[in-house]
């Protein structure tokens, strides 16, 4: 027997210490709810868990970011709803002002309301904000934008060229056509030259029949003229004349080829030619070739009385030449494209040259339009970060244009003219503005739908990642209670055994008595 070392007690003490340590860890896990409370508990598990925690908390904030984005988009879209409402009212007023039953005072009253609505659109654009960010007034700096081209209600094809210009090709006009320009109906009359152009030599072996006024003539391939019965026509010369009478518009025609001159000799009369027939064509005279009929206009003076042809019939101002119609169309195209043009850039030119003005003598029916322009603030752009990583694909960009009256093309809109034409053209400008607001609202709606899906996905990832992190880090309470109960029993047993081991060496004392 030995007394210096109580191996049994040492062993019991060591085992008791281990049990106490295990019991302490179980108590810690049960009280904290975590399986890993320090790196020593599970070094690899701690590393994985912390990465997951970073992702979870980042995604939670990303979801909040997306929700904030939805709120901002809803704020902007809500304001644009009112802008839409105001534009619809402006359209209603423009249609009303276009009606010919309105007096000048009526249109002025309508203009007053339109002006107020335009001002309110600007105010909404200037003041709508979310978290101190103005949503509809654009960003710093300015840009110049082109307005949409308008055709002034004319029949034809309008094509925007993509370079700040547009081409309008008017429907081809023919003599006798009725065309509406600027709300007024015109009849395309024929110039004297156009009417004369119907008179031509017949093809080889054929005869053309023409009606000039109430007379009918036939012309062969050589330009010889006969009456409706095929009898050659001549200028009548009185018997006894010294020479054949030359053709003039007032002379009498005859089918006699000869006359007797002052010497009693049969002499040839002057034959009527195609060029002579053309002399019958003057203002007001109707010419027909059996297929086309043209009424030559009387155009010897301008509207102000000046003895200059102006392409407008002197007796009926609703009868005009084709080229005059093209000039009037150019004027209306310019008026329609000047709406909202705050920079004064709108022009209408001839053919492919915007700098060549269309006149009453050079029109072709093809017009080059330089679009109106306006200066607006730069597009507002901001990004929503909807991920937990520093990846640029986690950015969702939102772009919002400056939704004021300048950008919408209705700044300075005027319907208070005396004819209603300005209001008619304003309808097209307002329609463009409605389309712009619709486009912006559609873009915002698309972003909002995307963000809602983004939020759903982020929340789903957070849920699943949290579940995975929980399996690594959280305590299985049932399992740990089993360990706790075991260690508690072992601790009590260890304490008892240690007490017994400490008493084991007491037997040595009996040997010393």
């Amino acid at each position: 027997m030995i007394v210096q070392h109580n191996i049994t007690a040492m062993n019991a003490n060591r085992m008791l210490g281990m049990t106490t340590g295990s019991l302490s860890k179980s108590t810690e896990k049960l009280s904290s709810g975590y399986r890993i409370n320090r790196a020593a508990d599970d070094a690899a598990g701690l590393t994985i868990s912390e990465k997951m925690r970073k992702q979870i908390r980042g995604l939670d904030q990303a979801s909040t970011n997306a929700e904030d984005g939805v709120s901002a988009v809803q704020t902007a879209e809500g304001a644009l709803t009112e802008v839409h409402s105001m534009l619809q009212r402006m359209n209603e007023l423009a249609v009303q002002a276009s009606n010919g039953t309105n007096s000048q005072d009526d249109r002025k009253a309508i203009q007053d309301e339109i002006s107020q609505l335009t001002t309110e659109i600007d105010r909404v654009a200037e003041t709508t904000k979310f978290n101190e960010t103005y949503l509809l007034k654009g960003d710093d700096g300015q840009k110049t934008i082109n307005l949409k081209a308008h055709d002034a209600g004319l029949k034809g094809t309008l094509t925007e060229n993509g370079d700040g210009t547009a081409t309008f090709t008017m429907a081809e006009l023919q003599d006798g056509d009725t065309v509406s320009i600027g709300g007024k109906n015109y009849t395309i009359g024929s110039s004297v030259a156009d009417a004369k152009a119907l008179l031509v030599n017949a093809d080889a072996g054929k005869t053309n029949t023409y009606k000039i006024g109430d007379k009918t003539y036939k012309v062969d391939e050589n330009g010889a003229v006969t009456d409706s019965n095929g009898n050659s026509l001549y200028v009548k010369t009185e018997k006894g004349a010294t020479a054949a009478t030359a053709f003039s518009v007032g002379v009498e025609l005859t089918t006699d080829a000869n006359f007797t001159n002052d010497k009693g000799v049969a002499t040839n009369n002057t034959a009527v030619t195609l060029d002579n027939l053309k002399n019958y064509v003057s203002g007001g005279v109707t010419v027909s070739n059996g297929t086309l009929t043209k009424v030559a206009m009387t155009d010897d003076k301008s509207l102000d009385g000046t003895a200059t042809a102006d392409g407008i019939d002197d007796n009926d101002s609703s009868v005009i030449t084709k080229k005059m119609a093209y000039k009037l169309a150019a004027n209306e195209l310019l008026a329609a494209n000047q709406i909202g043009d705050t920079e004064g850039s709108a022009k209408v030119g001839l053919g492919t040259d915007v700098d060549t003005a269309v006149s009453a003598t050079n029109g072709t029916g093809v017009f080059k339009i330089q679009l109106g322009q306006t200066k607006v603030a730069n597009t507002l752009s901001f990004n929503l970060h909807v991920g937990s990583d520093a990846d640029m694909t986690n950015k969702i960009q939102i772009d919002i244009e400056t939704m004021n009256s300048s950008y919408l093309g209705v700044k300075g809109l005027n319907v208070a003219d005396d004819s209603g034409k300005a209001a008619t053209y304003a309808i097209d400008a307002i329609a463009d503005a409605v389309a712009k607001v619709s486009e912006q609202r559609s873009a915002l709606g698309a972003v909002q739908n995307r963000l809602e899906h983004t939020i759903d996905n982020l929340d789903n990832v957070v849920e699943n990642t949290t579940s995975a992190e929980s399996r690594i880090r959280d305590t299985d309470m049932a399992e740990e209670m089993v360990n706790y109960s075991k260690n508690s029993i072992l601790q009590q047993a260890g304490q008892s055994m240690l007490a017994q081991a400490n008493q084991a060496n007491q037997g040595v004392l009996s040997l010393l008595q």
Side-chain angles (χ1 to χ4, degrees):
M1 299 179 69
I2 60 175
V3 297
Q4 290 294 338
H5 295 90
N6 190 340
I7 302 303
T8 301
M10 292 174 62
N11 181 264
N13 184 59
R14 179 175 64 83
M15 296 304 296
L16 178 59
M18 293 173 58
T19 300
T20 301
S22 296
L23 183 62
S24 175
K25 289 183 178 180
S26 290
T27 302
E28 184 179 30
K29 291 176 181 179
L30 289 170
S31 60
S32 68
Y34 289 118
R35 185 179 70 86
I36 304 174
N37 290 286
R38 58 183 61 82
D41 292 338
D42 184 350
L46 178 69
T47 301
I48 296 171
S49 172
E50 288 299 333
K51 285 193 296 184
M52 288 185 171
R53 282 189 173 186
K54 169 187 171 296
Q55 182 181 5
I56 292 166
R57 294 184 65 173
L59 292 177
D60 277 334
Q61 184 58 52
S63 180
T64 301
N65 290 351
E67 289 171 351
D68 289 342
V70 170
S71 297
V73 167
Q74 288 175 331
T75 301
E77 205 265 334
L80 291 180
T81 300
E82 280 308 308
V83 174
H84 246 159
S85 179
M86 288 185 279
L87 288 173
Q88 294 292 1
R89 175 57 179 163
M90 290 170 66
N91 180 71
E92 182 181 354
L93 292 169
V95 172
Q96 180 183 358
S98 300
N99 199 26
T101 60
N102 291 295
S103 67
Q104 189 71 25
D105 289 340
D106 294 334
R107 290 195 176 96
K108 184 178 183 302
I110 292 171
Q111 178 62 46
D112 289 342
E113 184 174 352
I114 285 180
S115 297
Q116 289 295 326
L117 291 172
T118 303
T119 302
E120 180 60 16
I121 289 174
D122 287 338
R123 192 195 69 80
V124 169
E126 284 291 317
T127 60
T128 300
K129 63 181 178 180
F130 177 81
N131 193 30
E132 298 304 316
T133 297
Y134 291 94
L135 298 177
L136 302 181
K137 66 184 294 185
D139 209 344
D140 295 336
Q142 282 190 324
K143 63 181 179 180
T144 301
I145 62 171
N146 294 317
L147 301 177
K148 191 174 180 180
H150 296 145
D151 60 8
L154 298 169
K155 289 184 178 180
T157 303
L158 180 65
T159 305
E160 294 208 19
N161 302 321
D163 59 354
T165 66
T167 301
F168 179 70
T169 303
M170 195 170 176
E172 186 177 358
L173 297 176
Q174 301 292 343
D175 291 351
D177 286 350
T178 298
V179 59
S180 179
I181 302 174
K184 183 176 180 180
N185 290 330
Y186 295 93
T187 299
I188 302 303
S190 303
S191 66
V192 172
D194 288 338
K196 287 181 177 181
L198 282 181
L199 306 176
V200 295
N201 292 346
D203 293 335
K206 296 183 179 180
T207 301
N208 291 344
T209 300
Y210 299 109
K211 189 172 183 178
I212 303 174
D214 59 354
K215 302 292 185 180
T216 300
Y217 304 94
K218 293 184 177 180
V219 179
D220 65 15
E221 59 185 291
N222 297 314
V225 179
T226 63
D227 61 15
S228 59
N229 297 317
N231 300 310
S232 297
L233 290 176
Y234 303 91
V235 177
K236 184 177 181 178
T237 305
E238 295 297 330
K239 183 178 179 180
T242 59
T245 302
F247 178 85
S248 64
V249 172
V251 299
E252 183 181 353
L253 303 185
T254 182
T255 57
D256 295 331
N258 302 310
F259 74 98
T260 302
N261 64 15
D262 59 341
K263 295 180 181 179
V265 178
T267 306
N268 291 333
N269 277 320
T270 303
V272 178
T273 66
L274 178 64
D275 287 336
N276 296 148
L277 292 184
K278 291 181 178 181
N279 289 331
Y280 286 126
V281 181
S282 59
V285 175
T286 300
V287 180
S288 174
N289 64 1
T291 302
L292 296 176
T293 299
K294 296 187 177 184
V295 180
M297 292 171 51
T298 301
D299 186 16
D300 299 323
K301 58 184 179 181
S302 61
L303 290 176
D304 61 6
T306 306
T308 304
D310 60 359
I312 302 174
D313 193 286
D314 296 339
N315 302 315
D316 184 355
S317 61
S318 68
V319 179
I320 59 177
T321 62
K322 284 192 292 186
K323 293 185 183 298
M324 186 61 188
Y326 294 144
K327 176 185 177 181
L328 295 177
N331 293 340
E332 299 307 317
L333 286 171
L334 179 60
N337 285 280
Q338 284 178 327
I339 296 178
D341 177 23
T342 61
E343 300 303 300
S345 67
K347 292 182 184 178
V348 176
L350 177 67
T352 59
D353 184 5
V354 74
D355 293 317
T356 300
V358 180
S359 70
T361 60
N362 66 358
T364 62
V366 179
F367 306 87
K368 186 72 169 288
I369 302 171
Q370 182 170 299
L371 304 181
Q373 294 182 329
T374 186
K375 283 186 177 180
V376 296
N378 289 327
T379 303
L380 173 67
S381 295
F382 58 91
N383 293 313
L384 303 176
H385 195 86
V386 293
S388 60
D389 302 320
D391 191 330
M392 297 308 294
T393 58
N394 286 328
K395 302 284 188 183
I396 294 180
Q397 181 170 313
I398 298 178
D399 296 325
I400 305 177
E401 293 289 352
T402 308
M403 304 306 291
N404 58 16
S405 61
S406 291
Y407 176 79
L408 298 178
V410 294
K411 189 174 184 63
L413 193 67
N414 178 42
V415 299
D417 66 340
D418 58 357
S419 65
K421 281 197 305 182
T424 303
Y425 297 151
I427 294 172
D428 272 348
I430 295 170
D432 291 343
V434 169
K436 284 184 176 180
V437 176
S438 296
E439 182 181 4
Q440 184 63 73
R441 288 185 67 187
S442 176
L444 292 174
V447 169
Q448 182 176 338
N449 287 338
R450 177 183 177 183
L451 288 173
E452 288 172 355
H453 288 295
T454 299
I455 292 168
D456 290 343
N457 180 60
L458 289 171
D459 292 346
N460 176 65
V461 174
V462 167
E463 178 184 344
N464 290 309
T465 306
T466 301
S467 176
E469 196 266 345
S470 174
R471 287 193 296 271
I472 296 172
R473 194 142 186 168
D474 290 353
T475 297
D476 184 335
M477 301 298 284
E479 180 182 353
E480 200 57 45
M481 276 303 299
V482 171
N483 290 331
Y484 179 83
S485 297
K486 178 190 71 174
N487 289 326
S488 179
I489 294 170
L490 288 175
Q491 184 187 42
Q492 294 176 42
Q495 290 173 345
S496 177
M497 291 304 100
L498 179 58
Q500 293 294 328
N502 285 334
Q503 292 297 321
N505 288 344
Q506 293 295 322
V508 175
L509 294 176
S510 63
L511 297 177
L512 299 176
Q513 292 178 355

